[in-house]
Amino acid sequence: MGMIIQGATGDWEVVIGMEVHAQVMSKAKLFSGSATEYGAEQNSQVSFVDAAMPGMLPVINEMAVEQAVRTGLGLKAQINKYSVFDRKNYFYADLPQGYQISQFLQPIVGEGKLTIDLKDGETKEIGITRLHLEQDAGKSIHDQHPTMTLVDLNRSGVALMEIVSEPDIRSPEEAAAYMKKLRSILRYLGTCDGNMEEGSMRADVNVSVRRLGDPLGTRCEMKNLNSVRFIQQAIIYEANRQVDILEEGGEIDQETRLYDSVKGETRSMRSKEEAHDYRYFPDPDLLPLQFDDAFIEKVKADLPELPDEKKARFVSELGITPYDAGVLVAEKEVADYFEAVAKGRDAKLSANWVIGELFGNLNRTSKSLSESPVSADGLGELIDLIKDGTISNRIAKEVFEEMFESGKAAGVIVDEKGLKQVSDTGAIEAAIDEVMAANMDKVEEYRGGKDKLIGFFMGQVMKATGGKANPGVVNKLLKPKLDG
Amino acid sequence: MSLDKATVAKVANLARIRVEEEDLEGLASELNSILDWVEQLGEVDTENTPPMTSVADMQLRWRQDEITDGGYQEDIVANAPSPEDGFFGVPKVIE
Amino acid sequence: MSDLTKLTIAEARDGLKAKKFSARELTAAHITSMDAARGLNAYITETPEVAVEMATRSDEKLANGEGGLMEGIPVAVKDLFCTKDTLTTAASHILDGFKPKYESTVTTNLWNEGAVMLGKVNLDEFAMGSSNETSYYGNVINPWRRSGDDKDLVPGGSSGGSAAAVAAHMAMGATGTDTGGSIRQPAAFTGTVGIKPTYGRCSRWGVVAFASSLDQAGPMTRSVRDASIMLEAMAGFDAKDSTSVEMDVPNFEAALTGDIRGLKIGIPKEYRIDGMSDEIAKLWDQGIEWLKAAGAEIVEISLPHTKYALAAYYIVAPAEASSNLARYDGVRYGLRVEGENLADMYSRTRGEGFGAEVKRRILVGTYALSAGYYDAYYLKAQKVRTRIADDFKEAFKSVDAILTPTAPSAAFAAGEKNNDPLEMYLNDVFTVPASLAGLPGISLPAGLSSEGLPLGLQLLGRPFDEETVLRTAGVLEEAAGFDAEPTAWWKG
Ligand SMILES: [Mg+2]
Ligand SMILES: [Zn+2]
């Protein structure tokens, strides 16, 4: 559902386009051989090229090209076999060359699309305008020195993919879903680690408002938002700000605005705005980037199954509900875990255990899946024990808690604690006899027509067997005995 | 096309080159004479001519994704006018 | 011992191998010569200690019968090449105190072949100029003077220091760089030989960039043979330069067979420009006669877009330069002039750090790339450039090399053409077209003007066919028998 702002003069529709900068997963930088790892000591992952020393030249990293193509394929996009690196010229302390090598008129990837998942299993298609490769800038630190800004160039020259969407997004929720879905796809592809806290994914969000059916309004861009929550908050604030201005008869200035997450508001960045004229031109240190169909085919050949296809398969082949399938495929790690559990087992039961018990326990203990004490094989073993009647579903939950706690295998816990389900009819019959003997009054009442008491007897028998009696067997034996 | 003083000032600002007010006039006339002279390019029919992308008849070479460089912080800041503990110091930027 | 600085590289090489003298003696002779010629202001930084050390190592190698192409040969390096731990200035105030922590590929190649570094030579600031009058370190003075006149002349530019050092025997050879004629034109002005190889032949890695799509390194020497030897030592594929061409370097010296029979030499009619001086026209005709006499076939050709080359060049080069020089911002190296804030610091640093010509070109280039003007200037110029390159492609279908004058005049006096940038730009009229097309070109001295100044002829070749260019140049050199030397007035 689109976001509608009800103003005093009528309804306003919110229109959003996103530019996401995703750091390419690669060992070395886009145009130099220095490392890309996060968190290194200042200026320790910097080459003379990254520091733009005189006479230094760029040489492209093939991995960046491959990752961009892979991402383009994942976004069902046009792959351009001929693209051009341009220089985007501007001065800033953390931009050592005085220009960023980027792609302007001829990007490596053209139009594509991305399907976002909304509430209630609904989906919506968002157009992708383009994806291009470019260099990241360094980092300016403003608060570590009383009179100076300190510049660290470790990130200078790291490969980024800038992924630009069409203005197809209509609400903060859709923006969040877009970001999550894009992150999911990139992580499936292994082209970006999606780590927003470390800045591996940042979004520039363009927001405008308009009367329903009107052409696009003037937009404002909020740069470098690094969390899904901030993206949503910024959109809400900004859309309302624009509506307020328009309702009062004002006009929106096209500008870059900064989202202040502390104050929860956006404000103009006039300082960065002044007379930008990037003077793009093809980088004369580089030739056009070219590859053939064979290269694209090679990348295509080892493309993994992506979340949308996986979801469809889970639904059609495994009989999982679309909602559960959506939950299971959001993270590749989860999907892989689930598939390992479900392999050769009851898929629905496996899904219930992953989404219910496993997620529940992970959430409760704030653990990620990779930190789970219960492996996919371990959970699979537990499910096998349920399936072959060794333990009941109820006991299995107990066993799972214990597995999560101690890391022990399900079979070991069942053995140690003697939780094996009793299916021996003799033992169960004895227990039934015992319970009936102790509750003759209730037996009479039952026989007098109070059928519902069967539940009471069921419970008592289970209790008498320490919960280990096979409920199916109990059920089968109990009724004839009660009926006399 | 004729550049006035204001345009020269704008271009100088874009290029981050400080030009004194009294020098703008002279610069404007120098730039104008160069640009007027360049106007002759308009005589060449380039309707169906692609712009030169590279004089060398070759394809862009790709490098392997290996860490082969970096790891010399001292050399990186060795020539810096204002090095600060391995960083480059610049006048404080207020954002 | 006779004056070792009189030798050519080839003679010195043979003498060293024959142990007639040592590399240290050869180097010492050049250091003495440098001292004596300091008045020419050819060197920005002299590195005699480094030279002696390198020469000593060469002597060790030579003693063992080892050594490279240039073993023990003392050379000068244009101060546009980054040299590790040695001041590198690009003749600009903005690179004050800059000592790179790396060595350019071309100089690395030279040192690997045994060459000895005498020092870093002067140039036009950032290689922008045709007379070596834009250097922050002062003008270079041409060793040549007009007969009967003691007025200082310019050595040409931008490799003016290289040219002067070689002409005055302060180095046996020097590296130069050529963007629009910066090797060939100063060679012509100083009676030396300079070759700009095909774009992509020499690595640009570690060479301070002026205009990336045009810049090429090349040698400046006193003979065609020396140029062949030195070019072979400098050239080679470099994976660190994306525009370096993956191709073996031929034995250039072996190309000097002296035989050009049947070779087709093109004479472009468009180079016979209005107002060409009789002297230059006569020199050109003389060159044609010499080649004919050697058995070459002379073919008149047309390069119809020649007229537009300078204008295209003076958009493309400044545009690229405006971006290449953006890195000089006072943050990581070189000069910093403090300001009120970051932007002010940039503007002051660049305002004071760059000289007038560099600023002028940055402004032209910035304007040519700016919003609304890109298509009319930069894009247009790059299209015209395609047409110029196509002219050459067409011509080289019917000829093997092209002969032209190198420059429209002999060396002029300092200050003579400073007032009008356009008049200065015209110096490059014969050299710029080949630069735009990335072709190899050589200038060699072919005669003296009526005033007793050297004049040069230029030969252009097909891409990566430096061999034909050198071979033909060798024949012209032989025919011209140019052996004039400047009077060593600076010693007095
Ligand atoms: Mg953006
Ligand atoms: Zn970007």
Side-chain angles (χ1 to χ4, degrees):
Chain A
M1 250 320 274
M3 178 191 189
I4 299 295
I5 297 176
Q6 286 161 343
T9 62
D11 286 354
W12 297 88
E13 182 185 34
V14 182
V15 177
I16 302 155
M18 311 259 279
E19 294 164 20
V20 175
H21 285 94
Q23 180 178 332
V24 172
M25 273 173 76
S26 63
K27 286 185 241 159
K29 294 182 179 179
L30 181 54
F31 292 114
S32 86
S34 42
T36 57
E37 220 168 289
Y38 180 78
E41 194 192 339
Q42 62 272 19
N43 289 314
S44 66
Q45 294 182 165
V46 179
S47 70
F48 297 127
V49 178
D50 309 318
M53 294 283 171
M56 293 300 97
L57 299 170
V59 181
I60 195 162
N61 183 344
E62 62 177 10
M63 179 58 85
V65 179
E66 204 178 307
Q67 296 286 51
V69 170
R70 184 172 289 125
T71 306
L73 291 170
L75 296 172
K76 319 268 184 279
Q78 162 81 33
I79 308 296
N80 296 326
K81 287 182 277 184
Y82 180 99
S83 64
V84 174
F85 285 105
D86 297 289
R87 291 185 182 178
K88 179 182 183 180
N89 295 282
Y90 66 96
F91 287 89
Y92 201 66
D94 53 24
L95 188 75
Q97 293 166 141
Y99 55 84
Q100 176 195 35
I101 306 180
S102 180
Q103 298 189 299
F104 184 49
L105 292 178
Q106 301 182 76
I108 182 167
V109 174
E111 284 181 19
K113 56 180 186 257
L114 182 143
T115 305
I116 56 171
D117 303 287
L118 301 169
K119 278 197 200 101
D120 315 320
E122 257 182 82
T123 61
K124 177 179 172 179
E125 204 163 86
I126 305 296
I128 301 291
T129 313
R130 60 185 280 161
L131 173 156
H132 66 252
L133 281 169
E134 63 183 25
Q135 299 176 299
D136 203 350
K139 200 168 75 182
S140 294
I141 301 158
H142 306 298
D143 54 6
Q144 246 180 53
H145 190 282
T147 59
M148 277 193 274
T149 285
L150 303 180
V151 179
D152 169 19
L153 298 179
N154 278 347
R155 243 171 44 193
S156 164
V158 165
L160 299 178
M161 297 179 282
E162 180 171 333
I163 302 162
V164 183
S165 87
E166 293 288 311
D168 290 346
I169 299 165
R170 291 289 177 274
S171 69
E173 293 74 31
E174 289 185 11
Y178 175 83
M179 202 62 187
K180 285 179 184 159
K181 188 57 172 285
L182 182 58
R183 181 175 179 276
S184 167
I185 290 174
L186 296 178
R187 285 171 54 85
Y188 263 79
L189 292 166
T191 58
C192 172
D193 68 16
N195 193 330
M196 296 188 74
E197 296 90 76
E198 291 179 5
S200 302
M201 257 183 106
R202 285 115 64 187
D204 298 346
V205 182
N206 287 285
V207 174
S208 63
V209 298
R210 65 175 172 189
R211 298 286 190 194
L212 283 162
D214 274 6
L216 290 177
T218 304
R219 66 175 196 267
C220 290
E221 182 181 25
M222 288 162 291
K223 279 196 182 292
N224 269 327
L225 295 168
N226 63 355
S227 92
V228 173
R229 194 162 54 93
F230 292 162
I231 290 171
Q232 291 180 272
Q233 290 169 351
I235 292 169
I236 294 168
Y237 180 91
E238 180 60 18
N240 281 294
R241 184 189 73 87
Q242 292 184 15
V243 166
D244 288 348
I245 291 172
L246 293 171
E247 294 234 310
E248 281 164 24
E251 267 180 34
I252 306 300
D253 293 330
Q254 184 167 339
E255 61 177 355
T256 302
R257 297 180 67 83
L258 177 84
Y259 177 65
D260 182 332
S261 59
V262 178
K263 292 193 181 141
E265 59 184 37
T266 66
R267 61 170 182 270
S268 183
M269 291 176 77
R270 283 275 150 64
S271 59
K272 281 212 169 183
E273 202 53 24
E274 51 151 339
H276 263 179
D277 182 344
Y278 292 125
R279 289 158 284 137
Y280 282 102
F281 76 108
D283 190 328
D285 287 331
L286 293 161
L287 296 142
L289 177 61
Q290 285 171 274
F291 43 79
D292 55 14
D293 287 315
F295 176 73
I296 301 174
E297 287 310 315
K298 200 192 97 207
V299 177
K300 206 180 256 174
D302 56 37
L303 223 51
E305 183 182 36
L306 290 171
D308 289 340
E309 289 102 65
K310 207 180 269 291
K311 181 180 168 188
R313 181 168 59 82
F314 284 3
V315 171
S316 69
E317 288 179 17
L318 304 179
I320 311 281
T321 64
Y323 179 82
D324 282 359
V327 172
L328 289 169
V329 303
E331 290 280 351
K332 183 166 184 295
E333 223 190 341
V334 172
D336 288 348
Y337 185 103
F338 161 72
E339 289 210 80
V341 174
K343 193 169 184 196
R345 300 193 178 94
D346 181 331
K348 271 181 150 167
L349 185 58
S350 301
N352 288 341
W353 273 91
V354 170
I355 295 171
E357 295 307 305
L358 177 69
F359 281 10
N361 277 284
L362 289 174
N363 271 341
R364 186 173 52 76
T365 55
S366 322
K367 282 192 164 92
S368 70
L369 183 60
S370 61
E371 298 164 324
S372 169
V374 179
S375 69
D377 284 350
L379 178 54
E381 184 197 341
L382 181 69
I383 292 171
D384 288 343
L385 292 176
I386 300 169
K387 270 296 187 187
D388 70 10
T390 307
I391 52 173
S392 67
N393 219 29
R394 196 174 60 77
I395 293 284
K397 287 186 182 174
E398 251 173 69
V399 173
F400 186 84
E401 302 274 331
E402 174 71 23
M403 289 166 76
F404 203 88
E405 195 78 12
S406 67
K408 284 183 189 166
V412 173
I413 295 168
V414 169
D415 281 348
E416 274 179 7
K417 300 208 160 172
L419 298 173
K420 211 167 199 164
Q421 183 162 267
V422 178
S423 301
D424 170 14
T425 49
I428 291 172
E429 268 183 282
I432 293 172
D433 291 344
E434 222 172 274
V435 167
M436 283 173 67
N439 296 284
M440 276 316 287
D441 49 338
K442 293 264 175 23
V443 175
E444 287 312 314
E445 278 179 53
Y446 173 86
R447 287 178 177 162
K450 258 187 135 179
D451 310 18
K452 280 185 182 158
L453 275 170
I454 189 136
F456 164 77
F457 286 105
M458 189 75 196
Q460 289 299 307
V461 173
M462 292 306 288
K463 200 172 162 191
T465 58
K468 288 178 287 182
N470 182 326
V473 178
V474 176
N475 215 2
K476 216 164 76 194
L477 298 175
L478 184 60
K479 199 155 181 292
K481 281 207 180 245
L482 281 174
D483 290 345
Chain B
M1 245 163 277
S2 192
L3 269 82
D4 53 15
K5 272 168 63 177
T7 309
V8 175
K10 213 182 95 194
V11 173
N13 179 48
L14 211 48
R16 295 288 187 276
I17 291 178
R18 186 185 163 96
V19 176
E20 301 303 329
E21 172 67 28
E22 64 264 29
D23 296 333
L24 286 173
E25 193 80 62
L27 256 176
S29 93
E30 279 173 12
L31 298 190
N32 274 319
S33 73
I34 294 170
L35 292 167
D36 287 347
W37 169 69
V38 165
E39 292 289 297
Q40 59 175 302
L41 292 177
E43 296 165 16
V44 184
D45 176 12
T46 51
E47 183 82 37
N48 298 308
T49 310
M52 175 81 81
T53 49
S54 160
V55 289
D57 184 20
M58 61 181 288
Q59 285 230 346
L60 186 65
R61 271 188 319 275
W62 302 359
R63 187 188 97 235
Q64 285 188 342
D65 184 29
E66 275 159 12
I67 298 165
T68 55
D69 212 342
Y72 39 78
Q73 183 204 58
E74 254 175 65
D75 285 353
I76 290 297
V77 298
N79 281 286
S82 184
E84 275 297 321
D85 184 30
F87 289 100
F88 296 103
V90 298
K92 204 172 191 75
V93 178
I94 296 129
E95 283 205 319
Chain C
M1 190 172 302
S2 66
D3 186 355
L4 294 176
T5 66
K6 292 284 181 241
L7 302 175
T8 63
I9 291 173
E11 288 161 357
R13 172 191 62 188
D14 298 344
L16 284 166
K17 274 205 185 119
K19 313 245 168 28
K20 286 187 185 151
F21 45 85
S22 70
R24 262 174 306 180
E25 286 167 322
L26 187 62
T27 291
H30 284 90
I31 292 173
T32 306
S33 177
M34 277 160 68
D35 285 347
R38 213 160 272 149
L40 298 179
N41 198 29
Y43 282 84
I44 290 175
T45 305
E46 296 178 7
T47 57
E49 297 88 358
V50 175
V52 169
E53 203 185 298
M54 292 174 95
T56 306
R57 257 180 286 147
S58 286
D59 278 334
E60 284 163 19
K61 282 197 174 158
L62 288 161
N64 296 327
E66 296 163 7
L69 280 172
M70 301 267 293
E71 200 63 56
I73 305 295
V75 298
V77 174
K78 186 177 184 178
D79 207 14
L80 203 61
F81 292 80
C82 291
T83 43
K84 194 169 183 224
D85 297 324
T86 297
L87 182 70
T88 298
T89 67
S92 180
H93 186 25
I94 209 158
L95 272 170
D96 265 8
F98 176 59
K99 289 184 177 171
K101 290 290 168 188
Y102 49 91
E103 182 81 28
S104 84
T105 298
V106 161
T107 48
T108 300
N109 290 348
L110 278 173
W111 314 145
N112 287 342
E113 289 294 344
V116 167
M117 179 167 84
L118 290 167
K120 305 290 293 289
V121 280
N122 210 339
L123 62 149
D124 277 301
E125 185 182 3
F126 282 103
M128 296 180 191
S130 307
S131 61
N132 221 122
E133 293 173 283
T134 70
S135 169
Y136 176 68
Y137 295 89
N139 296 356
V140 176
I141 294 160
N142 194 332
W144 290 82
R145 284 177 169 175
R146 292 173 182 135
S147 27
D149 185 349
D150 60 3
K151 202 190 274 177
D152 285 343
L153 303 181
V154 303
S158 66
S159 310
S162 306
V166 172
H169 298 257
M170 288 185 268
M172 307 203 82
T175 65
T177 63
D178 190 314
T179 303
S182 283
I183 286 176
R184 292 161 287 164
Q185 184 256 17
F189 277 19
T190 56
T192 56
V193 175
I195 180 166
K196 177 198 95 76
T198 314
Y199 183 84
R201 181 66 98 179
C202 285
S203 169
R204 294 185 296 115
W205 194 88
V207 185
V208 175
F210 161 15
S212 307
S213 73
L214 297 153
D215 297 344
Q216 256 303 289
M220 303 187 70
T221 58
R222 287 190 298 268
S223 78
V224 173
R225 182 169 301 273
D226 287 3
S228 311
I229 296 166
M230 191 163 167
L231 176 59
E232 191 178 332
M234 291 167 69
F237 169 64
D238 181 8
K240 291 186 290 196
D241 174 359
S242 295
T243 61
S244 166
V245 174
E246 211 163 350
M247 198 183 262
D248 288 337
V249 180
N251 179 340
F252 289 125
E253 200 182 355
L256 305 179
T257 60
D259 183 2
I260 58 163
R261 282 173 299 173
L263 212 63
K264 293 200 175 81
I265 306 291
I267 307 298
K269 61 176 187 216
E270 290 80 6
Y271 280 57
R272 238 172 249 285
I273 51 172
D274 291 342
M276 178 183 272
S277 76
D278 284 349
E279 242 171 27
I280 300 291
K282 251 174 62 191
L283 178 83
W284 194 6
D285 291 338
Q286 178 65 70
I288 293 170
E289 289 314 313
W290 285 328
L291 291 174
K292 254 190 214 163
E297 187 186 325
I298 302 299
V299 182
E300 174 163 299
I301 56 166
S302 174
L303 298 169
H305 297 90
T306 299
K307 186 182 160 200
Y308 303 102
L310 270 182
Y313 175 84
Y314 277 95
I315 289 298
V316 173
E320 292 181 9
S322 73
S323 177
N324 282 335
L325 271 57
R327 65 189 55 199
Y328 305 101
D329 59 8
V331 174
R332 294 164 318 283
Y333 41 78
L335 179 74
R336 174 186 292 189
V337 180
E338 297 295 347
E340 287 161 28
N341 52 42
L342 185 66
D344 192 41
M345 186 272 273
Y346 287 154
S347 302
R348 286 175 188 272
T349 298
R350 293 164 61 78
E352 288 184 30
F354 292 134
E357 180 62 20
V358 172
K359 284 194 263 196
R360 184 151 51 221
R361 295 201 199 186
I362 290 175
L363 294 179
V364 168
T366 302
Y367 183 71
L369 291 174
S370 65
Y373 299 101
Y374 177 83
D375 287 5
Y377 289 116
Y378 187 76
L379 195 66
K380 181 74 185 182
Q382 286 288 43
K383 287 177 175 177
V384 171
R385 194 174 170 189
T386 300
R387 304 225 56 175
I388 289 164
D390 288 346
D391 284 354
F392 279 109
K393 262 182 216 151
E394 190 58 35
F396 279 118
K397 284 179 186 164
S398 54
V399 299
D400 302 300
I402 293 170
L403 179 74
T404 78
T406 307
S409 73
F412 45 86
E416 217 169 73
K417 295 191 180 181
N418 270 353
N419 302 326
D420 180 4
L422 283 181
E423 197 190 338
M424 187 68 90
Y425 295 172
L426 287 173
N427 263 294
D428 304 326
V429 64
F430 300 135
T431 49
V432 153
S435 294
L436 289 173
L439 303 173
I442 196 169
S443 174
L444 70 154
L448 289 176
S449 72
S450 58
E451 293 173 307
L453 295 176
L455 298 171
L457 282 174
Q458 174 180 241
L459 281 161
L460 306 174
R462 296 191 180 96
F464 299 101
D465 189 15
E466 287 87 358
E467 285 161 286
T468 299
V469 170
L470 287 164
R471 181 153 52 106
T472 313
V475 170
L476 271 184
E477 181 184 47
E478 178 79 26
F482 183 89
D483 57 3
E485 285 278 338
T487 57
W489 52 267
W490 57 88
K491 284 187 181 165

